[in-house]
Amino acid sequence: MNYEYINKANTASELGLYFNTNETQLLHYFEPELGLFVVESPMVIERALAAGYEPVSFVMLESLADTYCKQFGILDLPIPVYVGDYDTIAGLTGVNITRGVLALMKRKPLPTLSELVSGFTRIAVFDDVENPTNVGAMFRSAAALGIDAVILTSSSADPLYRRASRVSVGTVFQVPWTKLDKKSATTAAYIKELHELSFKTAAMALTDNSININDPRLKSEEKLAIILGNEGFGLSDKVLEESDYTVKIPMKHNVDSLNVAAASSIVFWELT
C-alpha cells in the first residue's frame, strides 16, 4: 500500500479535516448532502467499517500502518493513508493520536422513527442528553443490556462525535439509532408517534407519582420505550404528562439523583 507522509503542506489542506475542523463543521461539510465524522482507536474503526460506513482517509503511526491496513481490510482501497511518527503528528497537529490511528468517514442516512423501531420491543429515548461522554456510555450500556434501538432528540449529543463513539467502544455503530428534528423534540411529538406504534413510554424521573423501577407492570409491557432526560433539568413537564409511566430508581442517604449514564445501566438491566 502506498502511504502519504504527513508534512506541513498536507496538514494545512486535506488533513485539516482531522485537526482544524470541528465536529459541527464536519457534520455540515457537504450540506445539504450528508457530512463526515472522525473515528479513533482500532476497535471503534473496525465496528464502523463492519456497519458499512465508508472511509475517506486514515491517519496512522507509520510503525503500525501495515498492521492496521491489513486488520481493517483496506489494503486495496484507493483512499489516502497518511503516516508519520508520533512526534511529527503531535508536533504538526497538537493532537494525541489515540491508539495510533484515526479515520475520516462518511455519514449514512438515518431511518425515520417508525422505520427504526419496526420489529423491536425495548427501545431507549435520550431526551436532550447533551454530554457526548454520557451518550457514549449510554450506548455501551444499551448494547450490553439488550436495548434494541435508541432515539435521540435534537439537542442530544451526536453519537458520531469522536468522544461519544470512543466512549461507546464503537457500539454506536452496532445499536440502531436515529435523531429527531427540533419540532418533534420540543413538543414531545415523538411520544404520540411511539404510542401509535404500540409502545408504552416510561419516563425516568423522581416525582411524587413515580412508580418503582421493579414495578411488575413495566416488565409485562410488550413494547416499552424508556425515556432518559437532560443531565441538568431532567425531562420536561410535557414529556412527563404524555408518558404512560413515570419511573424512579429508589435511592438512599438522601441522594436525589444519579448520573444519567449510571441510571441508564440500572434501568436497562431491570427492564430488559
Side-chain angles (χ1 to χ4, degrees), residues 23 27 36-37 107 110 129-132 135-136 139 152 154-165 172 177 179:
E23 290 177 306
L27 172 63
L36 303 167
F37 64 100
R107 289 177 176 265
L110 293 175
V129 179
E130 297 175 323
N131 187 310
V135 167
F139 262 93
L152 300 103
S154 59
S155 293
S156 291
D158 190 326
L160 299 187
Y161 280 176
R162 186 169 155 184
R163 183 166 182 79
S165 64
V172 297
W177 61 274
K179 201 168 187 185

Side-chain angles (χ1 to χ4, degrees), residues 166-192:
R166 185 180 78 234
V167 171
S168 83
V169 198
T171 54
V172 297
F173 304 112
Q174 296 179 310
V175 178
W177 61 274
T178 197
K179 201 168 187 185
L180 305 177
D181 60 31
K182 290 184 178 180
K183 181 179 179 181
S184 180
T186 55
T187 63
Y190 68 84
I191 295 180
K192 180 181 179 181

Side-chain angles (χ1 to χ4, degrees), residues 49-104:
L49 292 169
Y53 286 88
E54 180 183 346
V56 174
S57 63
F58 291 84
V59 173
M60 302 181 187
L61 293 180
E62 184 178 10
S63 60
L64 299 172
D66 289 345
T67 299
Y68 283 150
C69 287
K70 184 176 181 180
Q71 180 178 334
F72 300 151
I74 61 170
L75 289 170
D76 298 322
L77 292 182
I79 59 174
V81 176
Y82 300 99
V83 299
D85 60 37
Y86 180 86
D87 290 338
T88 298
I89 296 174
L92 289 172
T93 65
V95 172
N96 174 17
I97 180 167
T98 305
R99 300 289 300 278
V101 60
L102 299 171
L104 185 67

Side-chain angles (χ1 to χ4, degrees), residues 211-229:
I211 63 171
N212 196 300
I213 192 174
N214 63 5
D215 191 299
R217 288 173 290 177
L218 296 170
K219 279 193 174 181
S220 69
E221 295 291 356
E222 182 179 353
K223 291 184 175 184
L224 188 66
I226 302 161
I227 308 174
L228 297 118

